[in-house]
Amino acid sequence: MSSRLVLVAALLSTATAQAQPPRQEARLSVTSDLACVDEAALRAGVAQHLGYDPFVDPFVDPSVDPSVDTASRQVEVEARADGDQAPGPGAETFSVRITIRDGEAEPAERILDGGAHECDRVLEAAALSIAIAIDPSILDGPTEPEPGPEPGPGPEPEPGPEPEPEPEPEPGPEPEPEPEPEPGPRVAVLAELTGSLGASPTVASVGGRLGVELRFDALALGLAVRGDVPGQIGFGTGTVEAHVFGGEVTGCGWIAPIELCGVLVLGATRARGQGFVMDTEEGEPILFYGALGARFGLEIPLLPQLAFRAQLDALAHLTPAELAVGDAIAWAMPPVAAVLGVGLAFLP
């Protein structure tokens, strides 16, 4: 009885061994300039196709170590960037050369080309090619089992109780709106025509002003240059003329469309006499000019980046100038002056 059991067990063991195909083995050598083509990635790809890892001891060149079994299958993989491109994952084009050496047989070789962003696709193709070269039987696929008898219809299940409807979730609080970002300072470019009273020998003089303002929420800081056309009057046998030019510094409080500013003017008064000798060695003396005062301004938008401006300055002269012909005063600058400006503001 025990002899029969031993014989049956031996027959079953032999049948099981014959049912499983023998595993193939090979040695693997990888030389690569590409980050995605390395030995670990190829091993994993080939093992996925074969169902096992076929690679044994690391590849050794038989010419270096004659003890290596030259009859075993050897797989050599070389991945390089094409042409003069720098090696690495950013190469535009590259190639992967696969060489299969199997004993004394002629080596089999295949070259796979790829472009930028195709490294993973070429790696998958290389793993499949190596797996087929090691074990071509994987192309046959698994044997499909014969279909068994279709199961007959079973008893219909009894209907269970209908599930209770889930309660609707209570609406949560509405999210608070995100605060709008605070606007940063804006730059305004100002261009104006001006009319002055009390800054030249004539009753009024015209001129111009060009400046910039850095505007915040309710404040503005400004710099400008202003100059007047010379005003001329007759005196005795000749004429005298003078005009003011200089720079302005302003600090303003801004509540659209109105601005209130403090104004500091620093510059010069240039004088000239004709028809007689003036009481100075220079023919056209230049005198220091300074004034301090206040400004009332009005700005009305015309377009998103353009506005109309009108402003009135009241100035107190810090250094009133006098023009003398001999011992006689031809013209004396009054202690106060007014400047009216009308123009445009550009808001880029």
PDB file of all heavy atoms in Angstrom, residues 126-140:
ATOM      1  N   ALA A 126      12.322  48.639 -24.832  1.00  0.00           N
ATOM      2  CA  ALA A 126      13.561  47.887 -24.601  1.00  0.00           C
ATOM      3  C   ALA A 126      13.317  46.702 -23.666  1.00  0.00           C
ATOM      4  O   ALA A 126      13.812  45.595 -23.897  1.00  0.00           O
ATOM      5  CB  ALA A 126      14.630  48.814 -24.021  1.00  0.00           C
ATOM      6  N   ALA A 127      12.544  46.900 -22.594  1.00  0.00           N
ATOM      7  CA  ALA A 127      12.256  45.803 -21.667  1.00  0.00           C
ATOM      8  C   ALA A 127      11.489  44.680 -22.361  1.00  0.00           C
ATOM      9  O   ALA A 127      11.764  43.485 -22.161  1.00  0.00           O
ATOM     10  CB  ALA A 127      11.460  46.334 -20.473  1.00  0.00           C
ATOM     11  N   LEU A 128      10.522  45.022 -23.224  1.00  0.00           N
ATOM     12  CA  LEU A 128       9.762  44.005 -23.947  1.00  0.00           C
ATOM     13  C   LEU A 128      10.654  43.252 -24.920  1.00  0.00           C
ATOM     14  O   LEU A 128      10.574  42.011 -25.043  1.00  0.00           O
ATOM     15  CB  LEU A 128       8.592  44.665 -24.687  1.00  0.00           C
ATOM     16  CG  LEU A 128       7.711  43.723 -25.521  1.00  0.00           C
ATOM     17  CD1 LEU A 128       7.095  42.641 -24.648  1.00  0.00           C
ATOM     18  CD2 LEU A 128       6.625  44.507 -26.244  1.00  0.00           C
ATOM     19  N   SER A 129      11.547  43.954 -25.633  1.00  0.00           N
ATOM     20  CA  SER A 129      12.451  43.292 -26.580  1.00  0.00           C
ATOM     21  C   SER A 129      13.367  42.311 -25.858  1.00  0.00           C
ATOM     22  O   SER A 129      13.610  41.187 -26.332  1.00  0.00           O
ATOM     23  CB  SER A 129      13.277  44.345 -27.332  1.00  0.00           C
ATOM     24  OG  SER A 129      12.449  45.211 -28.055  1.00  0.00           O
ATOM     25  N   ILE A 130      13.904  42.707 -24.703  1.00  0.00           N
ATOM     26  CA  ILE A 130      14.800  41.806 -23.956  1.00  0.00           C
ATOM     27  C   ILE A 130      14.026  40.595 -23.442  1.00  0.00           C
ATOM     28  O   ILE A 130      14.506  39.453 -23.503  1.00  0.00           O
ATOM     29  CB  ILE A 130      15.458  42.587 -22.806  1.00  0.00           C
ATOM     30  CG1 ILE A 130      16.375  43.684 -23.366  1.00  0.00           C
ATOM     31  CG2 ILE A 130      16.245  41.652 -21.901  1.00  0.00           C
ATOM     32  CD1 ILE A 130      16.905  44.626 -22.315  1.00  0.00           C
ATOM     33  N   ALA A 131      12.799  40.819 -22.938  1.00  0.00           N
ATOM     34  CA  ALA A 131      12.002  39.700 -22.427  1.00  0.00           C
ATOM     35  C   ALA A 131      11.701  38.689 -23.536  1.00  0.00           C
ATOM     36  O   ALA A 131      11.782  37.467 -23.328  1.00  0.00           O
ATOM     37  CB  ALA A 131      10.711  40.226 -21.819  1.00  0.00           C
ATOM     38  N   ILE A 132      11.375  39.162 -24.750  1.00  0.00           N
ATOM     39  CA  ILE A 132      11.097  38.242 -25.864  1.00  0.00           C
ATOM     40  C   ILE A 132      12.362  37.500 -26.268  1.00  0.00           C
ATOM     41  O   ILE A 132      12.326  36.302 -26.581  1.00  0.00           O
ATOM     42  CB  ILE A 132      10.508  39.031 -27.050  1.00  0.00           C
ATOM     43  CG1 ILE A 132       9.128  39.579 -26.681  1.00  0.00           C
ATOM     44  CG2 ILE A 132      10.403  38.160 -28.290  1.00  0.00           C
ATOM     45  CD1 ILE A 132       8.538  40.500 -27.723  1.00  0.00           C
ATOM     46  N   ALA A 133      13.525  38.206 -26.263  1.00  0.00           N
ATOM     47  CA  ALA A 133      14.773  37.549 -26.633  1.00  0.00           C
ATOM     48  C   ALA A 133      15.142  36.466 -25.622  1.00  0.00           C
ATOM     49  O   ALA A 133      15.686  35.421 -25.982  1.00  0.00           O
ATOM     50  CB  ALA A 133      15.892  38.586 -26.743  1.00  0.00           C
ATOM     51  N   ILE A 134      14.838  36.683 -24.345  1.00  0.00           N
ATOM     52  CA  ILE A 134      15.172  35.677 -23.323  1.00  0.00           C
ATOM     53  C   ILE A 134      14.196  34.502 -23.369  1.00  0.00           C
ATOM     54  O   ILE A 134      14.589  33.334 -23.287  1.00  0.00           O
ATOM     55  CB  ILE A 134      15.173  36.349 -21.928  1.00  0.00           C
ATOM     56  CG1 ILE A 134      16.324  37.357 -21.837  1.00  0.00           C
ATOM     57  CG2 ILE A 134      15.277  35.312 -20.818  1.00  0.00           C
ATOM     58  CD1 ILE A 134      16.346  38.133 -20.545  1.00  0.00           C
ATOM     59  N   ASP A 135      12.923  34.783 -23.532  1.00  0.00           N
ATOM     60  CA  ASP A 135      11.917  33.713 -23.529  1.00  0.00           C
ATOM     61  C   ASP A 135      10.842  34.044 -24.571  1.00  0.00           C
ATOM     62  O   ASP A 135       9.871  34.729 -24.282  1.00  0.00           O
ATOM     63  CB  ASP A 135      11.291  33.578 -22.137  1.00  0.00           C
ATOM     64  CG  ASP A 135      10.377  32.351 -22.029  1.00  0.00           C
ATOM     65  OD1 ASP A 135      10.228  31.639 -23.048  1.00  0.00           O
ATOM     66  OD2 ASP A 135       9.831  32.112 -20.935  1.00  0.00           O
ATOM     67  N   PRO A 136      11.025  33.574 -25.832  1.00  0.00           N
ATOM     68  CA  PRO A 136      10.048  33.895 -26.883  1.00  0.00           C
ATOM     69  C   PRO A 136       8.660  33.321 -26.611  1.00  0.00           C
ATOM     70  O   PRO A 136       7.695  33.744 -27.238  1.00  0.00           O
ATOM     71  CB  PRO A 136      10.660  33.287 -28.152  1.00  0.00           C
ATOM     72  CG  PRO A 136      12.114  33.083 -27.832  1.00  0.00           C
ATOM     73  CD  PRO A 136      12.172  32.816 -26.368  1.00  0.00           C
ATOM     74  N   SER A 137       8.540  32.368 -25.661  1.00  0.00           N
ATOM     75  CA  SER A 137       7.231  31.742 -25.429  1.00  0.00           C
ATOM     76  C   SER A 137       6.215  32.712 -24.841  1.00  0.00           C
ATOM     77  O   SER A 137       5.025  32.418 -24.842  1.00  0.00           O
ATOM     78  CB  SER A 137       7.394  30.533 -24.494  1.00  0.00           C
ATOM     79  OG  SER A 137       7.812  30.961 -23.202  1.00  0.00           O
ATOM     80  N   ILE A 138       6.682  33.872 -24.365  1.00  0.00           N
ATOM     81  CA  ILE A 138       5.717  34.811 -23.790  1.00  0.00           C
ATOM     82  C   ILE A 138       4.806  35.391 -24.861  1.00  0.00           C
ATOM     83  O   ILE A 138       3.756  35.952 -24.558  1.00  0.00           O
ATOM     84  CB  ILE A 138       6.426  35.944 -23.025  1.00  0.00           C
ATOM     85  CG1 ILE A 138       7.254  36.805 -23.989  1.00  0.00           C
ATOM     86  CG2 ILE A 138       7.290  35.409 -21.908  1.00  0.00           C
ATOM     87  CD1 ILE A 138       7.823  38.040 -23.341  1.00  0.00           C
ATOM     88  N   LEU A 139       5.220  35.279 -26.154  1.00  0.00           N
ATOM     89  CA  LEU A 139       4.360  35.761 -27.227  1.00  0.00           C
ATOM     90  C   LEU A 139       3.124  34.890 -27.409  1.00  0.00           C
ATOM     91  O   LEU A 139       2.125  35.350 -27.971  1.00  0.00           O
ATOM     92  CB  LEU A 139       5.138  35.820 -28.547  1.00  0.00           C
ATOM     93  CG  LEU A 139       6.303  36.829 -28.601  1.00  0.00           C
ATOM     94  CD1 LEU A 139       7.051  36.676 -29.904  1.00  0.00           C
ATOM     95  CD2 LEU A 139       5.767  38.234 -28.454  1.00  0.00           C
ATOM     96  N   ASP A 140       3.199  33.586 -26.960  1.00  0.00           N
ATOM     97  CA  ASP A 140       2.054  32.687 -27.129  1.00  0.00           C
ATOM     98  C   ASP A 140       0.924  33.060 -26.199  1.00  0.00           C
ATOM     99  O   ASP A 140      -0.236  32.800 -26.479  1.00  0.00           O
ATOM    100  CB  ASP A 140       2.489  31.240 -26.883  1.00  0.00           C
ATOM    101  CG  ASP A 140       3.562  30.805 -27.878  1.00  0.00           C
ATOM    102  OD1 ASP A 140       3.608  31.417 -28.984  1.00  0.00           O
ATOM    103  OD2 ASP A 140       4.368  29.923 -27.547  1.00  0.00           O
TER     104      ASP A 140
END
